[in-house]
Amino acid sequence: MVSQNELTNIRNIGIIAHIDAGKTTTSERILYFTGSTYKLGNVDDGNTTTDFLPQERERGITIQSAVVTAAWRGFKINIVDTPGHVDFTAEVERALRVLDGGVIIISGVEGVQAQSETVWRQADKYHVPRIVYINKFDRVGASFSRVIESIREKLGGRPALIQLPVGKEDTFAGVIDVLEAKKYLFSDPTGESYETLELDAAETVLVEKARAVLSETVAEVDDEALEEYVATGTVALEHLKPAIRRATIANMLVPVFIGSSFRNKGIQPLLDGIIDYLPSPLDVKPAVGKIPGSDEKVEVKSDVNGPLVALVFKIVADPYVGILSYIRVYSGVMRSSSYVVNAAKGDKQRVSRLLRMHANKREDLEELGAGDLGAIVGSRDVITGTTLCEEGKLVQLETMQFPEPVISVAVEPKTKADQQKLSASLAKFAIEDPTFRIKTDEETSETIISGMGELHLEIIIDRLLREYGVNATVGEPQVAYREAIGREVVQQGRYIKQTGGHGQYGDVVLKIAPGERGSGIVFENKTVGGSVPKQFVPAVEAGVRDTVTSGPILGFPLVDVYVALVDGSFHPVDSSEMAFKIAASKAFREGASKASPFLLEPIMKLEIVVPKENIGDVIGSVTVRRGTIQQIQDRGHLQVVESSAPMAAMFGYATALRSLTQGRGSYSMEFSHYQKVADDVKEQVIAKFEGSSGKA
């Protein structure tokens, strides 16, 4: 039986960072040193545990978040290794939603990078306590002080220096523990053993200074520590660690650790830090949900004796067991072969198998208690964000919000058999990935798939061709534009059809106006005197919402529109929901085309890292792509160009940058916002789409 006491010994953590900061390598070392694996996996060798997809091993990047479990000092650590590439940011988002703590990995050379800021903001959004691990401290250009400063300046974090480095770059040998006043040297190449040494006189002075700063830092954010600091001028060692833990869990402090995962240095102290400073399920605030069908909010406490409440945070179409639903159990105990209820739909379903996941390997479980992560087989009609409960005690946990896709491609199957394969395969991807979209172009009958970036779609197409054996022709990537309106209009729409017997009659008058940025589609009923009976108002709204998916310029979705039903008329016999839905659709389509519609294009935030001698050429390459330079910073012998540019102008930029910098430059790109397309560019876009096979 699962015991409530076990919850104090659970740590649910995510390994999160910018691409290539060393997340997967660190995860592999944690698994090895905790005895969960018996062979050190390396990204370059393509034999890692958490990167198991062929596409991950070939590219040396993480695409899907993987869940693994390790044990350290009698504690169970559930680890989610997340992607660093911005195209797969939804994987980070849904992992953070169910995790209690995070390890943010920052390269000792590059410091805080673009995606480091993104994952930090995501952790802030879900109030996830975190520690920082400065990796790659053995590399040329590593700088402890520069990384600490970038944590303060770029992330707004308050670093608590738990460790100081012994040497740097090729002389990096280990770390000094500020609290214990001990030196750990990792001279064994395997990292399995390390020496614990006393400090010399110079190191003792360094630690005393660091501990004084640490006491002051903790006193600024913890009331108990402040009382002692005011009274004595310091915080006693036995009180310092508990105070750091409290402040970390309250998101007031970020303990900092140092190492070189590839060289097997610093992993064991990092594991100690995970146990010492990151929260158990009992240390974090209870999850918040509501009773289905009402706005009544309820707290869901981590209690194995409470009613079952579990959240599905990831769906995977497993080739061996079918649809796998990854879950976090927040309350109660889920048992194999038991029945659960989908809180959103109210349907009852059987949990045929309950699993502990170890990346792509599975271990059958009889039960999974509150605070733990696992997966279930046999769940139907669930999506990311579904809450599963026990019958009669339904709670709907807060769901997750994901960004909209910004790029599309057309996929055309070569044969009828491929059409069936394509439909089935894309349906699986849509279940797995909440940022992936499929639609059929009504004019060309093409299948259009949309995602978060070129790499995102490239991976999906690669899996389509190789994993699912679909023969298909793939079009050129197209930007996922949006459309909006510039002025208010009032438009009538009527649908009157006389046939034998009952006819059809619907008549509406809509006020259509620009909405606030980010407001989405807002619909209100402003009729008076029953001009449109209440039972037909939902049909009017449905007609509007169906029509906003295709704007008047090029058929891209309309955004940020306010629609009010202000008048209309009905027939006591011939009016129907369908008639009002069609009337509303006609009114909205005609009104939107008169409301000064305009195109919006996705603007991307760029971080370009280049040698100093190439800076002029790189700035020119951004400005010629309609980009704007925001900031240029030094990073050792390199310079970092922070800028923004329209996505439409960034296709193929990786090749251009390699050419400009002789292969030494690199860049990362993430979606920033939508912006109105300039009139001259709008004409080019319209001409391009009207001259191509169809709309995206």
Side-chain angles (χ1 to χ4, degrees):
M1 279 291 292
V2 178
S3 161
Q4 181 71 4
N5 294 332
E6 291 176 23
L7 268 70
T8 58
N9 289 350
I10 293 177
R11 298 290 182 273
N12 295 314
I13 66 159
I15 308 289
I16 47 183
H18 186 91
I19 191 168
D20 204 31
K23 294 177 300 303
T24 299
T25 302
T26 303
S27 298
E28 288 295 319
R29 298 313 185 260
I30 287 174
L31 293 175
Y32 180 72
F33 290 128
T34 57
S36 298
T37 57
Y38 300 99
K39 182 182 177 185
L40 276 173
N42 284 311
V43 172
D44 291 342
D45 298 335
N47 62 354
T48 55
T49 302
T50 55
D51 285 356
F52 53 83
L53 289 176
Q55 292 81 3
E56 293 178 311
R57 292 184 166 179
E58 287 169 5
R59 291 168 172 79
I61 61 169
T62 301
I63 294 166
Q64 286 188 349
S65 56
V67 180
V68 291
T69 302
W72 187 253
R73 284 172 31 191
F75 289 77
K76 180 199 291 182
I77 309 175
N78 293 318
I79 303 165
V80 181
D81 175 30
T82 65
H85 197 287
V86 68
D87 283 16
F88 309 105
T89 192
E91 290 285 321
V92 183
E93 187 89 11
R94 58 185 174 185
L96 285 170
R97 172 66 177 80
V98 297
L99 294 174
D100 301 321
V103 178
I104 305 263
I105 300 182
I106 296 177
S107 166
V109 180
E110 284 83 11
V112 173
Q113 296 165 275
Q115 190 66 1
S116 313
E117 295 182 57
T118 301
V119 297
W120 191 275
R121 287 197 306 272
Q122 288 172 308
D124 280 341
K125 175 180 174 182
Y126 292 111
H127 309 291
V128 176
R130 69 217 76 155
I131 61 179
V132 164
Y133 173 63
I134 302 175
N135 190 24
K136 301 186 178 183
F137 210 72
D138 60 321
R139 299 279 185 92
V140 174
S143 169
F144 185 61
S145 59
R146 190 172 68 241
V147 175
I148 296 300
E149 194 56 36
S150 67
I151 292 170
R152 287 195 183 100
E153 288 189 359
K154 290 191 172 182
L155 303 179
R158 186 185 269 111
L161 307 188
I162 306 297
Q163 295 178 344
L164 301 173
V166 178
K168 72 171 186 175
E169 300 180 347
D170 57 350
T171 64
F172 176 59
V175 296
I176 294 171
D177 188 307
V178 172
L179 294 177
E180 302 296 333
K182 298 284 185 186
K183 179 165 55 178
Y184 304 128
L185 295 184
F186 295 87
S187 49
D188 176 6
T190 69
E192 291 185 56
S193 62
Y194 56 90
E195 297 177 85
T196 304
L197 304 175
E198 297 298 321
L199 304 180
D200 61 30
E203 290 165 341
T204 300
V205 172
L206 275 178
V207 165
E208 286 174 354
K209 287 181 180 177
R211 198 182 285 172
V213 172
L214 192 55
S215 294
E216 186 178 345
T217 303
V218 173
E220 289 174 358
V221 295
D222 183 80
D223 291 341
E224 288 183 43
L226 178 61
E227 284 184 29
E228 184 174 347
Y229 188 79
V230 169
T232 66
T234 187
V235 180
L237 184 58
E238 62 269 24
H239 300 149
L240 198 50
K241 185 179 279 189
I244 295 170
R245 177 178 174 78
R246 288 193 301 271
T248 302
I249 292 171
N251 271 313
M252 304 297 289
L253 274 189
V254 186
V256 178
F257 296 80
I258 312 158
S260 168
S261 297
F262 185 69
R263 302 289 177 201
N264 309 316
K265 296 177 179 178
I267 298 299
Q268 294 92 332
L270 174 63
L271 279 162
D272 288 336
I274 289 169
I275 301 303
D276 291 340
Y277 301 114
L278 290 180
S280 77
L282 295 175
D283 295 320
V284 295
K285 290 181 179 178
V288 176
K290 65 178 183 179
I291 306 298
S294 79
D295 293 327
E296 182 189 344
K297 291 196 172 180
V298 289
E299 287 190 344
V300 180
K301 295 180 180 176
S302 290
D303 183 0
V304 297
N305 300 311
L308 174 66
V309 180
L311 183 72
V312 176
F313 68 93
K314 180 179 168 71
I315 308 282
V316 173
D318 189 285
Y320 302 105
V321 298
I323 298 295
L324 268 177
S325 303
Y326 283 71
I327 58 167
R328 158 78 187 256
V329 180
Y330 282 91
S331 172
V333 178
M334 183 173 284
R335 294 181 173 84
S336 182
S337 301
S338 65
Y339 285 88
V340 295
V341 177
N342 181 331
K345 298 186 175 180
D347 63 324
K348 192 175 175 182
Q349 47 191 271
R350 186 170 177 266
V351 178
S352 60
R353 287 175 70 190
L354 191 57
L355 305 171
R356 166 97 56 216
M357 297 304 297
H358 192 73
N360 61 337
K361 297 182 176 65
R362 297 166 293 277
E363 171 197 344
D364 278 280
L365 298 175
E366 286 302 312
E367 56 185 28
L368 194 71
D372 217 342
L373 303 182
I376 57 177
V377 181
S379 52
R380 307 183 311 273
D381 298 327
V382 298
I383 58 172
T384 298
T386 296
T387 307
L388 301 175
C389 308
E390 67 182 64
E391 196 171 8
K393 297 180 180 177
L394 299 189
V395 175
Q396 178 77 53
L397 292 175
E398 291 177 348
T399 56
M400 294 165 255
Q401 302 297 319
F402 297 105
E404 288 294 312
V406 293
I407 185 171
S408 304
V409 295
V411 182
E412 191 174 345
K414 293 186 175 175
T415 67
K416 195 163 186 178
D418 286 317
Q419 175 66 59
Q420 293 173 338
K421 275 193 200 173
L422 177 69
S423 299
S425 306
L426 291 179
K428 287 181 181 176
F429 288 135
I431 291 170
E432 289 185 355
D433 186 348
T435 61
F436 175 67
R437 302 279 192 279
I438 315 159
K439 71 176 248 190
T440 302
D441 190 292
E442 293 175 4
E443 293 181 12
T444 64
S445 298
E446 284 181 319
T447 299
I448 309 290
I449 61 173
S450 304
M452 298 305 298
E454 287 183 272
L455 181 62
H456 187 194
L457 292 184
E458 182 188 317
I459 297 293
I460 284 171
I461 290 162
D462 191 27
R463 290 184 66 192
L464 269 179
L465 303 178
R466 289 165 54 177
E467 197 175 313
Y468 293 96
V470 178
N471 289 310
T473 304
V474 181
E476 290 293 313
Q478 303 285 0
V479 174
Y481 291 94
R482 294 288 182 266
E483 298 184 22
I485 58 173
R487 68 185 183 91
E488 181 182 309
V489 297
V490 175
Q491 179 68 44
Q492 183 177 28
R494 304 179 80 193
Y495 180 66
I496 302 171
K497 191 172 183 182
Q498 293 298 331
T499 57
H502 285 313
Q504 294 284 350
Y505 185 96
D507 175 25
V508 300
V509 179
L510 301 180
K511 182 171 86 170
I512 304 165
E516 298 268 332
R517 175 65 67 89
S519 62
I521 308 301
V522 178
F523 177 87
E524 278 191 304
N525 177 19
K526 293 281 192 178
T527 56
V528 292
S531 56
V532 176
K534 284 186 178 178
Q535 69 264 31
F536 296 132
V537 172
V540 174
E541 181 174 359
V544 169
R545 292 193 181 277
D546 285 353
T547 313
V548 294
T549 58
S550 181
I553 303 174
L554 286 171
F556 289 101
L558 275 155
V559 296
D560 303 335
V561 180
Y562 170 79
V563 182
L565 174 60
V566 294
D567 202 359
S569 63
F570 70 101
H571 188 281
V573 177
D574 292 348
S575 285
S576 67
E577 289 185 359
M578 182 56 69
F580 272 98
K581 185 175 180 181
I582 294 170
S585 180
K586 286 176 69 177
F588 185 84
R589 188 174 286 112
E590 291 173 23
S593 64
K594 298 174 184 175
S596 304
F598 56 88
L599 275 179
L600 295 166
E601 63 180 343
I603 303 297
M604 310 303 286
K605 176 183 171 186
L606 305 172
E607 183 182 85
I608 310 168
V609 182
V610 294
K612 289 183 177 178
E613 58 266 29
N614 301 121
I615 192 70
D617 291 337
V618 169
I619 289 172
S621 75
V622 173
T623 53
V624 80
R625 285 172 166 78
R626 298 192 282 132
T628 305
I629 306 296
Q630 267 106 34
Q631 193 175 15
I632 300 173
Q633 291 183 317
D634 283 335
R635 188 181 286 168
H637 61 288
L638 300 170
Q639 287 197 301
V640 181
V641 181
E642 294 179 8
S643 58
S644 62
M647 184 170 196
M650 293 307 296
F651 290 129
Y653 187 65
T655 305
L657 184 64
R658 279 196 296 270
S659 175
L660 286 173
T661 62
Q662 293 78 51
R664 296 164 68 198
S666 64
Y667 83 105
S668 62
M669 181 168 73
E670 67 173 298
F671 172 72
S672 173
H673 62 281
Y674 272 95
Q675 182 174 294
K676 185 176 179 180
V677 176
D679 289 340
D680 57 332
V681 178
K682 175 184 170 183
E683 298 307 318
Q684 295 171 21
V685 174
I686 291 173
K688 177 184 173 185
F689 275 90
E690 288 180 343
S692 67
S693 58
K695 302 167 187 175

